[in-house]
């Protein structure tokens, strides 16, 4: 796989390169002429990939400053961003340096946001190390941090110069993190491609590298097609938020005890339920979606009971909300979302929303 795409925002070229065994490669994707790099990662990925990559870059005569933070969604904050920026300033990294974001979506969202504002913007490259990162978070240029009010509320769209995907980096990924990436893949099939949904409707073996590479490439193609069609998220890009209006609220309310993917899987079911109740999605298709979510073993039990009021309060700050009224992406059928006059999201009657959040929390409701 070697796919070059063009995104409308500067910098204009993003490369998605399949680069097996990255750590043993000649790192040809690094920008020519740049000698000083800030490598941002988390402390778990630092040991697995960050330090060996730094060593390899130093062998090539490059200057690499590695900065890491404690892993986890709870660290994706303005405070961590500021700490990283101060460390970079202390290392005298200037506008002539380049940032490498190496890790899962938490690292790449946060490090991308650092790159966007550091010295008014420096170039950066992304090396995703989670499945979720490879199929979703590294693509489309969204960067940002969470606040106590909710997920990803502060940020900017700032695409990297290159995304370097090496599926062999996934060997060490824990099962729960693997499943998290599968939630976004299921989402991609649901919003855009029924045949692809069918293909991944049952879990596939992790060790089949050829198959895995093909599936990652398919996901990249879907995400890139949607983001290129609507880079500023005025319409069709919102479809990538299927399951996320509910999902983000659950993630926030759980204090990030729920992983992003696990929360999105529940969100997909709830928003599928809304789609059926509003007369759009055939009920038998929701059954197929449930079977798929269950086949992947997503835990559907919430860490505690959430009241409708607290879920709604959280959703009022969702970026699709209008006048603080949450809006939802709904399915017409597997493979297609509803357009709602090009808005690709709609408000839902309060009573139905209450019913859906009750359904979500009934024992076995979503099974
Ligand atoms: N920007 C976007 O378009 C976009 C899209 C989807 C999700 N996201 C964001 O992505 C984040 C979730 O990303 P994530 O699930 O990758 O989380 P993450 O970055 O927290 O990584 C998950 C865990 O896996 C560990 N890990 C990473 N790579 C590993 C490897 N190769 N081997 C072993 N362990 C490894 C990390 O240390 C971490 O503990 C959320 O903040 C979400 O909002 C962003
Ligand atoms: Zn997501």
């Amino acid at each position: 796989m070697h796919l070059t795409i063009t995104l409308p925002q500067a910098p204009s070229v993003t490369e998605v390169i399949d680069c097996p065994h990255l750590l043993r490669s000649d790192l040809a994707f690094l920008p020519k002429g740049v000698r000083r790099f800030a490598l941002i990662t988390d402390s778990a990925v630092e040991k697995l990939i960050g330090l060996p990559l730094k060593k390899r870059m130093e062998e090539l005569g490059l200057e690499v400053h590695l900065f890491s933070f404690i892993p986890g969604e709870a660290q994706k904050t303005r405070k961590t961003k500021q700490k990283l920026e101060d460390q970079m300033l202390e290392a005298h990294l200037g506008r002539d340096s380049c940032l490498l974001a190496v890790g899962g979506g938490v690292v790449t969202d946060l490090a991308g946001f650092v790159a966007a504002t550091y010295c008014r913007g420096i170039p950066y490259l992304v090396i995703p190390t989670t499945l979720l990162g490879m199929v979703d978070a590294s693509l489309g240029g969204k960067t940002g941090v969470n606040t106590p009010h909710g997920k990803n509320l502060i940020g900017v769209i700032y695409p990297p110069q290159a995304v370097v995907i090496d599926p062999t980096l996934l060997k060490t990924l824990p099962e729960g993190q693997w499943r998290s990436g599968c939630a976004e893949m299921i989402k991609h099939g649901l919003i855009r491609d029924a045949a692809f949904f069918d293909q991944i409707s049952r879990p596939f073996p992790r060790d089949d590298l050829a198959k895995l590479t093909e599936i990652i490439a398919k996901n990249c193609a879907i995400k890139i097609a949607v983001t290129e069609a609507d880079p500023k998220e005025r319409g069709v890009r919102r479809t990538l938020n299927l399951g996320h209006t509910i999902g983000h609220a659950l993630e926030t309310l759980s204090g990030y005890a729920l992983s992003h993917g696990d929360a999105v899987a529940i969100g997909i079911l709830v928003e599928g339920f809304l789609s059926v109740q509003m007369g759009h999605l055939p009920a038998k298709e929701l059954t197929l979606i449930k079977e798929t979510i269950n086949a992947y073993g997503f835990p559907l039990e919430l860490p505690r009971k959430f009241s409708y009021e607290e879920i709604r309060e959280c959703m009022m700050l969702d970026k699709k909300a209008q006048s603080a009224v949450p809006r939802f992406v709904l399915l017409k059928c597997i493979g297609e979302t509803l357009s709602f006059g090009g808005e690709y999201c709609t408000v839902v009657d309060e009573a139905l929303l209450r019913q859906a959040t009750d359904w979500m929390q009934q024992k076995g409701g979503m099974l």
Side-chain angles (χ1 to χ4, degrees), residues 132 136 152 184 187 240-242 244 248 251 260-261 264:
L132 187 142
D136 195 349
N152 301 335
E184 304 284 14
K187 177 197 76 181
L240 293 166
N241 282 300
L242 176 71
H244 283 63
H248 278 165
E251 228 185 318
H260 181 70
V264 165

Side-chain angles (χ1 to χ4, degrees), residues 42-45 48-49 71-73 76 103-109 128-133 136-144 146 151-152 169-174 177 180-181 184 187 223 237 244 248 251 259-261:
D42 71 32
S43 53
V45 181
L48 293 165
I49 301 153
E73 190 69 42
K76 201 175 114 178
V106 165
V107 170
T108 57
D109 276 15
T129 64
T130 61
L131 181 62
L132 187 142
D136 195 349
S138 65
L139 304 159
K142 276 191 185 176
T143 72
N146 306 325
K151 287 260 308 166
N152 301 335
L169 294 177
L170 297 176
K171 278 195 185 124
T172 50
L173 196 67
Q177 300 302 336
S180 204
E184 304 284 14
K187 177 197 76 181
K223 171 115 194 215
R237 185 168 180 169
H244 283 63
H248 278 165
E251 228 185 318
S259 75
H260 181 70

